[in-house]
Amino acid sequence: MAAAALLLLLLLWPAVVYAAGEGRRLHTLFSVECGDYFDWQAVGLLHSLRKAGQPGGVTRLLSCAPDQLPSYRGLRIGHTLQVPSYSRHPRTGDWYPAINKPAGVVHWLEHSPEADNVDWVVILDADQIVRGPIIPWELGAEKGKPVAAYYGYLKGCDNILAQLHTAHPEFCDKVGGILIMHIDDLRALAPLWLSKTEEVRQDKSHWSTNITGDIYGMGWISEMYGYSFGAAEVGLRHKINDDIMIYPGYTPRIGTEPLILHYGLPFKVGNWSFSKLEHHEDGIVYDCNRLFPPPPFPREVEVMESDPNVKRALYLSIECINTLNEGLLLHHTSVGCPKPQWSKYLSFLKSKRFSELTKPKYWNSLKVENKLTVQHVALSKSRHPKIHTLFSTECSSYFDWQTVGLMHSFRISGQPGNITRLLSCTDEELKNYKGRDLAPTHYVPSMNRHPLTGDWYPAINKPAAVLHWINHVQTDAEFIVILDADMIMRGPITPWEYGAKLGHPVSTPYDYLIGCDNILAKIHTRNPSACEKVGGVIIMHIDDLRRFAMLWLHKSEEVRADKDHYATNITGDIYASGWISEMYGYSFAAAELNLRHIIRSDILIYPGYVPLPGVNYKVFHYGLRFGVGDWSFDKADWRNADIVNTCWAKFPEPPDPSAITKGNQNARERDLLSIECGKALNKALYLHHKRRNCPRLSTTIGSISKKIEEVLTSNKSERVTQRSSTTTIGRNVEHMDVTRQQAVERATDTVSRVHGSKRLARSSKMWIFAVWATSVVVFLLVISMFFSDRRRSVSRSRASRSQKAHSLTIKQTV
């Protein structure tokens, strides 16, 4: 026994020395309540902390009412300090279990001897999985400057809520999730954390969503505000880290390795999903060898997604639940459960492969210092809100190649945050749709054919999809960037660069929306003077978007139904077909809410337009035909060409930039941008085909482009109508005449023929081989028959001669 104890001491000695260094004694806290729901979370968190090699001690702060304790089964789960339950407030009678967190911390500071022997405290939530040691000094924590994760939805820091509840609203930081601070800071903060939580909880007149950001408007996040207001009161200035923690289901920033998985929201991988709320009464901790439903195996995830960063997000999701299940498995063993039956999943959890995948991750402090988007220091101009980018498409090959182009440009643009494709499809279209893996996708019902009026108007899918996303997806992003599918990003589009703020979205000028100046605006908005001619790129605060999205859809329907005012001299629509009704829906809805846009002409450019001198445009919008010399590109020419699913198919290559003449500088700059756009699309397609593991067809690639180009060129003279990029200043109008349609169909047929040529060649070779083999066999049969006949003739001749000789002998004898 003594030898075992000595061995254990030797194994733990480095961690003890590490944790007990001068001024570096570390302790971790988390708060729970009496019940099965928190017990399985505690088992998972404690297991992950051991697995991650977290230094120092860990204490579970257990809030239980006296009548709960006799029947409570989980007293032996981890090192536990029982604290009085505040779920039902002892003074006001208010039912608010979240207040147990600050109340538990106050009790620990006042009654636990552990609090007198630590320098740094890490405070976690129970519904978290830790992937690596959380070391305060490595993450940049200092006395007076705690480290925390960013909770951008705490909008009360910016409005009347902070002004009412703290003397220093300017110090209010939107933080939570993980708190890392010096023990002296915690001692100063904890009583105020509790009292401010009580304050905000009682302030029911300011519970509304537009003040607190609480989507339920029920004061549920009062404890989070209690922390932020208490920290502001004592002058703590947080170092806000936006990459240390991630919700499973979210895509991490490229180059980051989160240390904490916070499974507070539902998440899914393929057809498998997990939500902690579905296990609120689950006694899984006490059911021997029962685990949560296993997620897909890593090798199955490998083939689900081609985007490596999105794939990494899926791996994090399965790591979260696998670590939780591993903790449950070990807990069941520790309490004497029988050995579980063998299964493929249990074998995986015990495998070296799983051990390698979940080995501790270590924070790279140098990377943190060099990554501007990670460190957000309070009151610093470098503190940036979270962004999410959206774009709308439909289930078609036409939108698929646009999606490939936009997604590739998004990945290399440096755009912060995640991106979601809003995919509008009918159930029938989805059955045969091949492009599910092209982008992170939110599926929405198609409104191509309006469900009430029967009107065919696909453009309405954009506001309908945004509204559906707002109503069905929980996001912590403060700003939403909305793009069109037919765009190529050249750099990040951020609210801080262009000045977007609440009530003031950013957009680009669409001067042809003349309806803002005439009877159209007067009919469709009560505030026509606020109508602004904008579109293309939109950067809008999430709260504005929540108010705005429904009105955007309604106004689009309204303008679309107003056929009496489709005329070009009223709308600016050269086809007078009501095609740009959605754009007016946007402008009229924004006017109705008095949103005043910051209009920037330096964000977006149409290829083929002369750029402003010195402007670094962030977006190409290739909605109109553009060209350089004999080469040109019009997206409408490729409406029916399945470029994405035809291996190595691409668009005709634009000229080499070196071929551009140096005479007219404006024309040169224009042509260089046009070439850049064309090449960006082809580069995106090349990488897409490469990811799809297309066979090497180096000799075929050039012929595809050449033949398609020949087909399209030969049909230029046949076109009856054409849009001119010098006279059309609008968003692309989805119109093609019959002749153009025939040209595109011929181009598509050419793609199929060219890519079928290799198969045809192979078939021809097989046919020739078969004919040759048959000829050889027939020849051999003929030869064989010939020699057989000769043999028979020789035999008959010999027999005849023998018979004659024999007769002659007889005659002579006679």
Side-chain angles (χ1 to χ4, degrees), residues 424-435:
S424 302
C425 295
T426 65
D427 292 338
E428 283 301 312
E429 288 172 329
L430 269 178
K431 289 178 183 177
N432 301 313
Y433 182 59
K434 300 177 183 177

Side-chain angles (χ1 to χ4, degrees), residues 743-762:
V744 174
E745 288 173 357
R746 287 168 59 187
T748 308
D749 291 342
T750 302
V751 173
S752 302
R753 286 198 303 271
V754 172
H755 282 279
S757 63
K758 194 172 184 73
R759 292 189 298 272
L760 183 60
R762 277 199 299 268

Side-chain angles (χ1 to χ4, degrees), residues 551-785:
L551 201 54
W552 182 7
L553 176 59
H554 287 339
K555 289 294 179 184
S556 298
E557 294 172 313
E558 200 179 290
V559 178
R560 178 69 180 171
D562 184 11
K563 295 185 179 180
D564 292 340
H565 295 96
Y566 274 8
T568 302
N569 65 320
I570 295 175
T571 63
D573 178 359
I574 62 169
Y575 297 101
S577 61
W579 190 258
I580 57 177
S581 300
E582 171 271 314
M583 302 170 77
Y584 277 115
Y586 177 91
S587 292
F588 293 160
E592 201 81 353
L593 298 176
N594 204 32
L595 297 178
R596 308 312 294 260
H597 288 82
I598 299 167
I599 305 175
R600 300 290 297 254
S601 58
D602 57 348
I603 299 177
L604 175 148
I605 188 171
Y606 286 88
Y609 279 37
V610 175
L612 295 172
V615 173
N616 181 26
Y617 294 98
K618 299 299 179 67
V619 174
F620 286 136
H621 191 181
Y622 54 90
L624 305 173
R625 173 175 291 279
F626 62 98
V628 178
D630 294 332
W631 174 88
S632 67
F633 180 83
D634 188 339
K635 69 170 191 173
D637 287 344
W638 302 91
R639 178 176 295 279
N640 296 322
D642 194 359
I643 306 294
V644 167
N645 295 309
T646 305
C647 269
W648 303 119
K650 62 175 183 174
F651 303 115
E653 280 291 344
D656 192 272
S658 61
I660 304 302
T661 59
K662 299 181 180 180
N664 186 321
Q665 185 62 26
N666 286 340
R668 175 178 168 76
E669 293 297 326
R670 176 200 65 202
D671 291 348
L672 288 175
L673 290 177
S674 296
I675 290 170
E676 180 185 336
C677 182
K679 285 186 174 295
L681 281 170
N682 275 342
K683 178 66 178 292
L685 287 167
Y686 169 77
L687 293 174
H688 164 77
H689 294 312
K690 190 175 180 182
R691 282 194 298 271
R692 288 270 179 101
N693 295 318
C694 282
R696 296 180 65 87
L697 296 173
S698 56
T699 58
T700 309
I701 295 173
S703 62
I704 293 171
S705 297
K706 185 177 179 182
K707 290 196 177 185
I708 293 173
E709 190 167 6
E710 286 172 356
V711 171
L712 293 177
T713 302
S714 69
N715 281 278
K716 283 183 180 178
S717 58
E718 301 172 18
R719 293 176 184 169
V720 178
T721 58
Q722 275 199 43
R723 290 173 293 174
S724 171
S725 60
T726 58
T727 58
T728 305
I729 315 175
R731 184 181 172 189
N732 65 83
V733 179
E734 313 298 342
H735 172 78
M736 292 173 60
D737 58 35
V738 175
T739 316
R740 171 177 287 177
Q741 179 72 20
Q742 291 171 347
V744 174
E745 288 173 357
R746 287 168 59 187
T748 308
D749 291 342
T750 302
V751 173
S752 302
R753 286 198 303 271
V754 172
H755 282 279
S757 63
K758 194 172 184 73
R759 292 189 298 272
L760 183 60
R762 277 199 299 268
S763 300
S764 300
K765 288 178 181 178
M766 293 297 294
W767 175 249
I768 291 169
F769 177 78
V771 170
W772 176 83
T774 304
S775 302
V776 169
V777 170
V778 170
F779 174 76
L780 291 175
L781 285 172
V782 170
I783 294 297
S784 176
M785 291 171 63

